[in-house]
Amino acid sequence: MRHNRVITPPGNLCDDSRMSSRQITIIANWKANLPPSEEVALAKAIAEGVGGELHAAGRGASLRVLLAPSTLGLVSVASLLRREYPQSGIDVAAQDTSLSGAGAFTGEVPANHLVGITPAVIVGHSERRQRGESDEIVGEKLARVVAAGLAPVLCVGDDLPAAEIAARVVYVQHQGAEAITAAERAGCSATQLFAAGFVIAYEPIWAIGTGKPASVEIAEAIASGLRAALHQNDLPILYGGSVDAASAASWLGTSKERTGLDGLLVGGASLDAVRFSAIVRAGLAAAGPA
Ligand code: PEP
């Protein structure tokens, strides 16, 4: 195993050495809120809203926008974006994948069937964990995603609304390490995982859909603690949990003064094209010149 996942206390909240070159990723998680036809309409409205600005800014490399429709809507939304808005650079992400590979597994969605449809797959969202997904399962899914050549977005998050920051950091470090160790048991080395475009999204359960986001201070401490524990100074860490248009800029900062976060995973506010477009604009402002 390449790295030593020692659980460490939060270090510097903002490491300046990684400030300049960081790509920002903004993911819209539409969950099972809309039927595919409405997902296509929403993708169209978002692409009409910010696609031109994304193209004009030429910031494809420094700002990545991914829409995660339902599994049923994934192909239609991906086709729409590639056919009608290729220059926007907006792409899709899958919300989940199955534990099984291809074969006689009725109803399952193997990771290797997502190849060519999506570049990225969310794994371990708390709504999946609440339905029984353990760290072991999450790790196995990470391994499946990497084996398929896709980029995993691992969701972690505490259910400790009143905890001290340090306790929260230790909890999330442990959760991240457990999933990575399980991925290793499933045949995916940490080296392979980090080389696959691995991203972690910190989504405290108490902040998801509650209108009560964490603070930037907490999210930065988690980001710093995860990077330290995993010995990955450049590991991209997103924040998710009640992010809205009005708060998006505060999570990301400006191109001159970025926070320690690398993007946002947005649920409720991503179901509204105007609100989500405003969040993407905050990403553009933080990404700065291409
Ligand atoms: C989520 O479910 O991933 C999420 C961040 O939701 P919301 O933005 O609605 O809190």
Side-chain angles (χ1 to χ4, degrees):
M1 190 164 55
R2 190 178 52 79
H3 61 261
N4 173 21
R5 285 188 295 279
V6 175
I7 304 299
T8 54
N12 293 335
L13 295 191
C14 256
D15 179 348
D16 287 335
S17 65
R18 47 183 313 284
M19 284 288 133
S20 52
S21 58
R22 292 156 44 207
Q23 183 187 55
I24 291 177
T25 300
I26 296 181
I27 305 177
N29 179 12
W30 294 343
K31 311 186 184 188
N33 281 297
L34 303 171
S37 60
E38 290 179 34
E39 292 179 317
V40 169
L42 179 56
K44 195 172 177 56
I46 290 169
E48 292 286 339
V50 286
E53 288 160 70
L54 287 165
H55 178 210
R59 289 177 184 141
S62 54
L63 175 66
R64 184 168 62 146
V65 179
L66 302 175
L67 309 180
S70 62
T71 305
L72 282 178
L74 197 53
V75 172
S76 309
V77 171
S79 304
L80 170 90
L81 293 171
R82 286 166 205 169
R83 194 179 58 242
E84 294 186 27
Y85 305 98
Q87 286 156 332
S88 72
I90 303 173
D91 210 329
V92 294
Q95 294 177 15
D96 189 28
T97 185
S98 294
L99 255 190
S100 43
F105 305 109
T106 303
E108 298 293 349
V109 182
N112 56 353
H113 288 189
L114 295 170
V115 175
I117 299 170
T118 178
V121 183
I122 298 169
V123 175
H125 191 281
S126 63
E127 287 157 13
R128 301 297 317 165
R129 293 179 189 258
Q130 279 157 8
R131 296 172 87 86
E133 278 191 19
S134 61
D135 289 326
E136 191 67 32
I137 291 174
V138 170
E140 281 187 59
K141 288 188 174 187
L142 288 177
R144 290 270 179 202
V145 170
V146 173
L150 304 174
V153 178
L154 169 66
C155 294
V156 295
D158 58 274
D159 199 6
L160 309 167
E164 297 290 327
I165 290 183
R168 208 183 291 287
V169 170
V170 169
Y171 181 97
V172 172
Q173 284 174 323
H174 181 73
Q175 202 179 29
E178 287 292 302
I180 293 171
T181 301
E184 288 175 319
R185 275 197 292 275
C188 172
S189 73
T191 308
Q192 289 171 313
L193 185 63
F194 293 124
F198 183 55
V199 170
I200 297 184
Y202 171 57
E203 297 213 301
I205 294 166
W206 45 271
I208 294 180
T210 60
K212 294 181 183 148
S215 65
V216 175
E217 183 193 11
I218 290 175
E220 284 186 324
I222 295 282
S224 175
L226 281 168
R227 292 184 189 113
L230 300 175
H231 300 280
Q232 294 292 318
N233 193 40
D234 293 323
L235 182 63
I237 310 285
L238 318 185
Y239 169 76
S242 295
V243 170
D244 206 344
S247 67
S250 67
W251 293 105
L252 300 173
T254 65
S255 61
K256 291 204 169 63
E257 199 171 352
R258 293 269 297 273
T259 66
L261 302 168
D262 301 295
L264 300 167
L265 206 169
V266 187
S270 71
L271 292 167
D272 180 294
V274 173
R275 285 161 76 194
F276 187 68
S277 295
I279 293 168
V280 171
R281 287 190 188 102
L284 275 170

